[in-house]
Amino acid sequence: MTNNNSAAIEVVDLVTHYGPREILHGINLTINEGEIMIIMGGSGSGKSTLLRYLLGLGVPTSGSINLLGKDITKISNTEMHQLRQNMGVAFQGGALLSSMSIGENVQLPLREHTRLDEKTMEIMARMKLEVVNLGGFEKLMPAELSGGMIKRAAVARAIVMDPKLMFFDEPSAGLDPVVSAELDELILNLRDAMKMTIVVVTHELESAFKIADRITVLDQGNILMTDTVENIKNSDNERIQSLLNRRPSNEEVKADEYLNRLTGM
Amino acid sequence: MPETATHPLTNSLELLGRSTVKLIEEAGYYSALLAESLFWILVGPFIKRPVRIPSIFSQMMTMGIAACPIVFVLSFSIGVMLAIQMIYNLKTFGAESQVVVGVALSVTREFGPLITGILIAGRTGSSLAAKIGTMQVNQEIDALRVMGINPVRYLVAPSLFAMMIMLPVLTFFSDMAALLGGAVYTSIEIGLSFDAYADRTLSALAVVDVMQGIFKSLIFALIITLVGVSNGFSVTGGAEGVGKATTRSVVLSISYIVIADMIFTYFLNL
Ligand SMILES: Nc1ncnc2c1ncn2[C@@H]1O[C@H](COP(=O)(O)OP(=O)(O)OP(=O)(O)O)[C@@H](O)[C@H]1O
Ligand SMILES: [Mg+2]
């Protein structure tokens, strides 16, 4: 982990509402350049909500969100449009446009932000699809792909502009362990080879511990703790422990202990 | 949420108030959508973010050309129906031949635009709501936004553009089909030749009569598109939400079309 301590993302006192309900109650979070930050938390804790605001998809009630030195709650539309070239997002269900082929989906950001010719865009899209092991699939439609392939295609689309910031929403949800491990590998590669700053929302503990530089734990719209994997694991905060112990499988668990857990809790 | 027991009248007043507020909110939303779409259509090309031309053409095909057969069948039937009614009514005065004038005027001013509007609201308005609603549910709209692709420019502006062209064209086509229906029935029933029917129709109609219908169809095009897409964008809650939005958009746009038609008919005939 390269920790040169310059912030790629800085959230200060972020408060958000859905209608009259306050969801995030003053979030403070700094994510350094080139690190993988995992956002964890129970269901309804506000992970997806936090992600929405990081992506500039909602207007917060108060607070500021700095991405690459720009406060996205204050900048103009034009500046935001430019900033978006440096942001890639892999949505939970992939969110590929169903009306176009995989290749065309991957080309979309190029079409919007560059004046490249058709041939170049095709080649770039094919290269990114190869990065995610989908070389040769560009002619297929999203409906013809499996869930895991769609997620990888979505990653290809997200990285086609070589963004500095990359966001993943539940990358391993609904995937089998092998595919999900491949995706973890891909995320690590994006950090190491392409020097991206990566934010991952997940509740798969195993994958989180494997790829995280740091983890931030959300609970009912507040941040409980932001720290390294070790410190999170060793934290004596009760809520964090109860979150961690919901882990369904663990190679260290012995059979009798597992039985105890099943019956005892 | 506090549960308070209230007088039924207060309740219904409150309901009325709420629905009014909601309607006004929606009207505001429609105007904002319209303004933004017009911005992208007119200004987009100059800031290097144009509306997609291929999308406009493909939508003109699906919402316009593909609708021709059904528009023809319905309009032709309406023409026949009007002729039947008018001949029956005019017979009492021995003025059957006046049927030509009656059919010509009611078709071009009223039934052509109305039947086409209602048909396209059911056909295209609903599919717009379903398409955008599904995209909303699948986070495709969010994905467009994070890629810096404005959803109004990408999805709404082409549909609006296509609809504003195709609905008037379809309306004119519907006028023709209904007049043909009237002519066919009239020639059978009172033995008026096609040539004579066409002559009388042309002398009975002024350009303003046709234009009045075409003008209405432009308004209907706005209603269908804006109601359809805004219901699509406001979908929450999965596939069920998409179904609800689709139904709602059809009911609303048909109601707005009929009400708008009444208002325009009143003012255009003052
Ligand atoms: N569209 C919405 N409208 C109103 N309230 C919402 C909406 N989306 C989420 N919420 C509320 O915001 C809170 C946080 O939800 P959020 O989706 O951010 O949780 P989450 O941590 O992503 O949960 P999960 O792990 O289940 O996805 C919840 O209490 C939820 O009820
Ligand atoms: Mg969530």
Side-chain angles (χ1 to χ4, degrees):
Chain A
M1 165 179 143
T2 52
N3 198 341
N4 55 8
N5 272 334
S6 60
I9 299 175
E10 193 167 18
V11 180
V12 181
D13 293 333
L14 177 69
V15 177
T16 73
H17 285 80
Y18 270 124
R21 246 182 87 206
E22 187 173 299
I23 307 292
L24 300 178
H25 316 290
I27 298 286
N28 286 286
L29 181 64
T30 304
I31 302 174
N32 298 319
E33 243 171 56
E35 83 171 332
I36 298 181
M37 174 67 85
I38 305 279
I39 299 177
M40 260 174 30
S43 197
S45 57
K47 304 183 293 294
S48 302
T49 307
L50 177 57
L51 189 65
R52 277 192 75 75
Y53 286 88
L54 288 180
L55 299 176
L57 292 176
V59 182
T61 314
S62 64
S64 69
I65 302 166
N66 265 282
L67 302 183
L68 304 172
K70 297 235 157 81
D71 183 353
I72 62 168
T73 59
K74 297 215 172 62
I75 61 178
S76 70
N77 283 344
T78 324
E79 279 180 296
M80 190 68 206
H81 189 248
Q82 277 161 5
L83 185 59
R84 291 210 182 278
Q85 301 183 27
N86 275 314
M87 300 165 64
V89 190
F91 285 95
Q92 181 163 357
L96 298 179
L97 299 200
S98 54
S99 56
M100 32 176 94
S101 71
I102 303 303
E104 287 168 327
N105 260 290
V106 178
Q107 288 172 33
L108 263 180
L110 296 174
R111 254 177 233 290
E112 177 65 22
H113 292 288
T114 70
R115 301 276 143 233
L116 299 170
D117 60 277
E118 286 295 317
K119 201 74 215 155
T120 317
M121 286 196 287
E122 260 172 48
I123 292 171
M124 289 181 70
R126 197 178 317 140
M127 274 165 44
K128 296 300 179 189
L129 280 167
E130 267 155 25
V131 171
V132 299
N133 274 328
L134 282 177
F137 285 89
E138 50 266 35
K139 290 276 176 304
L140 292 188
M141 300 300 281
E144 299 171 290
L145 263 57
S146 75
M149 290 159 89
I150 284 181
K151 284 197 167 184
R152 282 185 282 149
V155 175
R157 183 176 70 182
I159 62 175
V160 74
M161 297 283 296
D162 292 323
K164 296 201 175 82
L165 306 178
M166 183 69 203
F167 301 84
F168 289 86
D169 193 5
E170 302 280 1
S172 32
L175 298 184
D176 72 57
V178 179
V179 181
S180 135
E182 276 173 18
L183 217 65
D184 289 344
E185 217 48 56
L186 178 65
I187 294 174
L188 288 171
N189 268 333
L190 292 179
R191 178 195 64 188
D192 297 335
M194 304 174 92
K195 306 279 175 257
M196 292 181 186
T197 304
I198 299 172
V199 180
V200 183
V201 169
T202 186
H203 44 234
E204 301 278 324
L205 292 169
E206 202 179 319
S207 132
F209 289 155
K210 198 164 101 195
I211 62 178
D213 289 316
R214 289 193 299 155
I215 294 179
T216 192
V217 183
L218 272 181
D219 184 44
Q220 296 174 2
N222 292 302
I223 288 192
L224 280 185
M225 187 174 184
T226 304
D227 218 323
T228 59
V229 177
E230 277 314 303
N231 292 347
I232 295 273
K233 275 183 177 170
N234 298 331
S235 152
D236 46 18
N237 183 310
E238 208 174 297
R239 297 198 67 103
I240 292 183
Q241 282 312 319
S242 81
L243 191 74
L244 298 191
N245 288 330
R246 246 184 284 146
R247 178 163 26 177
S249 73
N250 184 333
E251 49 286 353
E252 290 138 27
V253 180
K254 294 183 195 70
D256 51 344
E257 207 177 309
Y258 183 62
L259 263 180
N260 270 344
R261 200 184 278 180
L262 279 182
T263 50
M265 286 207 298
Chain B
M1 262 183 210
E3 196 68 52
T4 44
T6 40
H7 194 270
L9 182 64
T10 334
N11 263 338
S12 36
L13 272 179
E14 189 184 322
L15 198 66
L16 186 71
R18 283 225 183 117
S19 344
T20 315
V21 169
K22 190 143 192 281
L23 267 182
I24 293 173
E25 261 176 21
E26 275 191 37
Y29 190 50
Y30 297 150
S31 343
L33 261 179
L34 176 61
E36 209 180 328
S37 306
L38 290 178
F39 171 85
W40 289 116
I41 291 172
L42 301 173
V43 183
F46 298 102
I47 57 168
K48 295 230 155 52
R49 293 169 74 189
V51 172
R52 295 174 302 152
I53 310 289
S55 168
I56 296 178
F57 278 105
S58 80
Q59 298 208 39
M60 280 168 68
M61 283 301 291
T62 48
M63 71 175 57
I65 309 299
C68 282
I70 182 75
V71 168
F72 181 85
V73 171
L74 283 195
S75 307
F76 187 90
S77 312
I78 296 270
V80 172
M81 180 199 84
L82 281 173
I84 296 173
Q85 289 287 358
M86 289 191 185
I87 290 175
Y88 177 81
N89 287 324
L90 290 167
K91 244 182 200 150
T92 29
F93 311 106
E96 297 100 303
S97 60
Q98 287 304 309
V99 65
V100 184
V101 181
V103 169
L105 289 180
S106 29
V107 161
T108 53
R109 288 164 160 240
E110 203 56 64
F111 287 100
L114 190 62
I115 197 72
T116 315
I118 289 177
L119 192 73
I120 298 302
R123 195 177 177 276
T124 312
S126 65
S127 85
L128 272 177
K131 181 181 91 174
I132 292 182
T134 309
M135 293 182 77
Q136 181 73 275
V137 168
N138 294 338
Q139 289 191 292
E140 289 170 51
I141 305 285
D142 287 342
L144 284 175
R145 290 179 62 197
V146 299
M147 287 187 279
I149 301 172
N150 183 298
V152 175
R153 181 191 114 214
Y154 199 77
L155 299 168
V156 182
S159 305
L160 188 68
F161 200 112
M163 185 73 86
M164 301 282 287
I165 294 175
M166 286 325 282
L167 201 61
V169 170
L170 280 176
T171 298
F172 187 74
F173 178 70
S174 157
D175 288 349
M176 295 299 119
L179 291 176
L180 181 68
V184 168
Y185 183 81
T186 309
S187 73
I188 295 169
E189 183 68 22
I190 61 172
L192 188 67
S193 80
F194 268 42
D195 277 352
Y197 191 96
D199 274 351
R200 287 196 203 174
T201 299
L202 283 178
S203 59
L205 278 182
V207 177
V208 288
D209 296 316
V210 181
M211 289 321 285
Q212 179 172 334
I214 300 295
F215 173 73
K216 281 181 184 173
S217 76
L218 281 171
I219 303 295
F220 298 166
L222 281 181
I223 292 175
I224 295 169
T225 319
L226 295 177
V227 172
V229 298
S230 63
N231 275 289
F233 279 126
S234 57
V235 164
T236 50
E240 197 188 335
V242 176
K244 273 188 198 151
T246 309
T247 313
R248 187 167 184 273
S249 96
V250 174
V251 173
L252 271 185
S253 52
I254 291 181
S255 316
Y256 290 159
I257 283 175
V258 173
I259 293 168
D261 190 31
M262 176 190 76
I263 295 171
F264 279 108
T265 306
Y266 177 78
F267 282 107
L268 292 172
N269 294 299
L270 273 184

